Amino acid sequence: MTKGAYDVVLLPGDGTGPEVVHEGRKVLEALMENSSPRLHLTEVQGGAQYYQKHGSEWEPGGRERATKADAILLGAVGWPGVSLPDGNIAGHGLVLGMRFGLDLYANVRPCKLHAGVLHRIGKEFKQVWRPENVDMTIFRENTEGLYSPAHGELSRGGATEVVLDTRIITQKGSERIIRRAFEKARATPKGAPEDGVRRVTCIDKSNVLKGCQFFRATFDRIGREEFPEIERDYAYVDAFTQWLIRQPEHYHVAVATNMMGDIVTDLAAALQGGMGFAAGGNIGDEHAMFEPVHGSAPKYAGKNQVNPFATFEAVAMMLGWLGDRYHDPSLLELEGRLHAAIERVLAEGTAMTYDQGGNVTTSQAGDRVAEAVRSSKPAASPSAREVAA
Ligand code: IPM
Ligand code: MN
C-alpha cells in the first residue's frame, strides 16, 4: 500500500544527537522540495537530559507518538552521571525500550567505505582499506541474548553478593534474524568484494556456548533449506575480530547474537572511517527506528563539530525501508538521490569534519549535502539500493 504521506518522529535526544538530527532534517527537507511523497516530521523530546530536568524520559505523549509513527529517526541518548533508579542509563527507554516495545528484532549495520574517506588508526589519517573492499552488512539480533530483561541479583544484609545476566537465545529470535541476513544476501547479487560470492557468515562462539550451538544449527537449517544458493560461512567471534580487519573483502553479510553483534559492529565502523559514518537500522516487521550509532558524545556536545554523515546514512536507510514497506518508488528515488549526494560530497572532500582531519562544521557539512541533493540524480541502482535494503 503506497501512502503518499508518512509520519516520521525525530528523537534528537542528548548531547550531539540534536545537532546531527538537525542536519538530517535539513537534508530531508531539501530532498522533499519538489517531490511527491511527503514526510511529516515531528520532534519528540526525551532522553537523559530531559529526564534530568523533568523526571521522565519522554515528553508527555512522546512515547505514544513515536510508537504510532511510520518510522523513527533517533539522534543519541545518554549523559554522564544521569541514570535511572534501576541503574540503567537515562534514555534507555528511547533505545532499548523502543527495540523491545516495537519488536525491532533486526539491528542492521551496513558497513561501506566511501571513496574519499580516511581511516584514523593511531594519530594518522590515512587510507588503510580500499573502498571497493569494504562493503558488507552485519545483522545483529536486537531483542534477546544478553540484553534480555532476565537479570537478577542476590543481596544479603544490604550487600550484593551475586549478579546474573541471563543470555536467552530463542528459536523464533534466531530464525527471524538469520532469515533477514540470508534475504539480504539474496537481494544483493554483487556478493562479497573478494570474489563476488553471496555469502552469510555466522558469528558465534559455538565451540563453547550452548546458545551459540543452537544459533549455528538454526543458521545451518535455514540456509540449507531456504537459501541453498547462498554460501554459508562461519567464524568464532574472537577470530572474526581479526579477520574482519585483515580481510574485510571476504565479508558480504554477517549475522550475530545481540551482545556479540554490538561489539563487532563498532569494530566494523573503523573499516568505514569511524563512528561518524556508521548508521544502524532497528527493524521489525511493522516498525523501524534509524540512528547514527556514535552516541551522544558529551565532549563534543554544542560545539558544532561532529560528523553528521552517519545521520545522513540513517536517513537514507529510513527512506529505503519506508519505500520497500509501502511499495513507494518515489521514496526509493529519494533514497537513491541521497546516496548519490553523499557519495559525491565525500569524494569531493568538501565536507570533512575534524574526525577526517577537516575543519568543516556539522552544519556546513549539512549545507553541502543539502545543496548536493537539490541537484542530485538517483545513484546508479542497484548498488545504492543495496546499502539500505
Ligand atoms: C548500540 C548502543 C546501544 C546498545 C546502547 C546505547 C544501549 O551501543 O546501539 O550499539 O548497546 O545496543
Ligand atoms: Mn553499541
Side-chain angles (χ1 to χ4, degrees):
M1 161 193 60
T2 298
K3 297 185 8 151
Y6 303 88
D7 277 323
V8 172
V9 159
L10 308 177
L11 295 178
D14 296 306
T16 55
E19 296 170 45
V20 293
V21 167
H22 183 83
E23 300 314 308
R25 176 174 202 146
K26 186 190 279 177
V27 165
L28 253 180
E29 282 170 353
L31 265 176
M32 286 192 294
E33 287 165 17
N34 316 315
S35 94
S36 51
R38 297 301 313 166
L39 302 185
H40 295 298
L41 310 178
T42 314
E43 273 193 30
V44 168
Q45 303 309 315
Q49 292 170 294
Y50 189 90
Y51 177 81
Q52 199 171 28
K53 268 202 213 112
H54 305 277
S56 140
E57 285 187 300
W58 294 91
E59 71 171 55
R63 191 177 179 286
E64 292 67 27
R65 275 208 291 288
T67 300
K68 279 202 215 107
D70 292 308
I72 303 170
L73 179 68
L74 172 71
V77 296
W79 198 246
V82 191
S83 47
L84 301 176
D86 65 5
N88 282 326
I89 58 158
H92 186 269
L94 281 71
V95 183
L96 295 167
M98 287 285 112
R99 287 181 187 170
F100 280 85
L102 299 178
D103 201 17
L104 309 178
Y105 60 85
N107 192 313
V108 183
R109 279 274 293 100
C111 176
K112 182 177 168 65
L113 174 61
H114 290 290
V117 173
L118 298 174
H119 300 97
R120 194 171 178 184
I121 306 289
K123 284 199 176 345
E124 280 171 69
F125 294 96
K126 55 186 172 190
Q127 189 162 69
V128 181
W129 295 277
R130 289 204 270 171
E132 61 273 25
N133 283 348
V134 178
D135 192 357
M136 71 185 82
T137 310
I138 302 180
F139 284 73
R140 161 188 173 194
E141 203 294 319
N142 216 24
T143 49
E144 55 180 56
L146 265 179
Y147 282 59
S148 307
H151 311 286
E153 71 174 65
L154 174 66
S155 300
R156 286 186 282 219
T160 302
E161 295 187 12
V162 177
V163 292
L164 287 174
D165 295 298
T166 311
R167 180 166 175 259
I168 294 180
I169 305 290
T170 70
Q171 182 161 357
K172 172 179 166 180
S174 303
E175 281 181 357
R176 60 188 187 173
I177 189 68
I178 289 165
R179 219 170 251 127
R180 281 250 174 188
F182 276 107
E183 280 163 3
K184 171 69 182 175
R186 180 175 273 167
T188 46
K190 197 164 67 173
E194 178 181 63
D195 50 12
V197 171
R198 284 181 296 174
R199 160 180 304 126
V200 182
T201 304
C202 182
I203 305 165
D204 61 48
K205 188 72 184 172
S206 59
N207 47 346
V208 181
L209 300 176
K210 280 283 160 220
C212 284
Q213 289 161 11
F214 183 68
F215 191 77
R216 188 182 280 209
T218 307
F219 172 85
D220 269 331
R221 174 171 50 80
I222 290 181
R224 198 177 49 240
E225 288 174 6
E226 300 176 30
F227 302 90
E229 79 280 23
I230 310 294
E231 185 181 291
R232 294 192 297 282
D233 185 46
Y234 307 89
Y236 295 140
V237 63
D238 47 349
F240 179 73
T241 59
Q242 62 145 340
W243 294 342
L244 178 68
I245 298 301
R246 284 175 43 188
Q247 43 174 50
E249 64 275 14
H250 179 68
Y251 297 104
H252 176 209
V253 177
V255 63
T257 52
N258 203 340
M259 183 76 214
M260 291 181 194
D262 180 42
I263 296 168
V264 300
T265 51
D266 271 21
L267 183 57
L271 298 169
Q272 60 187 137
M275 297 299 276
F277 294 97
N282 301 272
I283 298 177
D285 292 329
E286 309 289 332
H287 300 271
M289 176 169 81
F290 300 86
E291 53 176 329
V293 296
H294 49 61
S296 62
K299 193 169 130 197
Y300 293 99
K303 295 194 175 152
N304 196 20
Q305 276 183 5
V306 292
N307 183 345
F309 275 91
T311 303
F312 304 148
E313 300 278 5
V315 168
M317 283 181 90
M318 179 174 83
L319 292 166
W321 181 80
L322 281 170
D324 284 340
R325 170 152 164 71
Y326 294 104
H327 306 289
D328 189 335
S330 58
L331 284 172
L332 300 179
E333 196 205 313
L334 297 188
E335 180 209 6
R337 281 178 49 205
L338 178 50
H339 275 301
I342 290 171
E343 271 167 30
R344 199 170 89 213
V345 171
L346 288 174
E348 285 166 3
T350 51
M352 295 311 193
T353 43
Y354 81 94
D355 54 314
Q356 282 289 300
N359 56 9
V360 166
T361 64
T362 310
S363 50
Q364 285 167 341
D367 291 343
R368 302 273 147 80
V369 175
E371 278 158 34
V373 296
R374 289 193 178 95
S375 58
S376 64
K377 300 257 177 336
S381 39
S383 71
R385 287 267 44 239
E386 288 175 7
V387 178

